[in-house]
Amino acid sequence: MSAAVLVNRVLQESLLSLSAAARLFPPLRQHAAVRASTIWRWVREGVMTPNGRVKLEAVRVGQSWITSREAVERFIAAQNPPANPIESTAREQSDEHAAREAAAVQSLLGM
């Protein structure tokens, strides 16, 4: 995603400082609160998932960094597999089958 698109996307959402974003999370390890430095690490380095690295979207404004509640939601969602992987796989296969059938019909009709 280009920087301009990222800036527009984040600025149109519910803005948060990195400290405020940290307060959205419950205490994680050893009941310690999530710190702004952890949020900054998620912005800079991201976290590894089976599907690759996922970073928290944030933009720089002056000397500060801001993110959004929606960016945090996307960050969390990107780290988690679909609720029912079998169902999503079946849905993808069904969509592929429907696309093949539509292509076959179009070729028969000369479209």
Side-chain angles (χ1 to χ4, degrees):
M1 178 180 312
S2 74
V5 172
L6 177 63
V7 168
N8 286 331
R9 182 178 192 173
V10 171
L11 291 179
Q12 292 176 4
E13 298 174 339
S14 306
L15 299 178
L16 298 170
S17 66
L18 299 188
S19 296
R23 290 190 292 272
L24 293 175
F25 294 90
L28 296 177
R29 294 186 179 169
Q30 300 171 355
H31 306 291
V34 174
R35 298 175 189 233
S37 60
T38 300
I39 304 298
W40 171 240
R41 189 173 53 252
W42 291 344
V43 168
R44 192 180 68 238
E45 299 172 17
V47 296
M48 282 303 295
T49 68
N51 296 324
R53 189 166 296 277
V54 175
K55 292 184 177 185
L56 175 61
E57 297 171 341
V59 295
R60 187 175 181 145
V61 178
Q63 294 184 1
S64 300
W65 283 85
I66 57 172
T67 187
S68 68
R69 179 177 293 274
E70 295 82 358
V72 171
E73 290 172 4
R74 288 189 296 271
F75 176 71
I76 293 169
Q79 295 176 59
N80 293 285
N84 187 347
I86 295 172
E87 181 180 305
S88 65
T89 302
R91 187 177 307 120
E92 289 170 5
Q93 290 173 348
S94 175
D95 291 346
E96 289 173 13
H97 180 71
R100 282 195 305 270
E101 284 184 347
V105 168
Q106 287 179 350
S107 69
L108 287 173
L109 296 175
M111 299 176 105

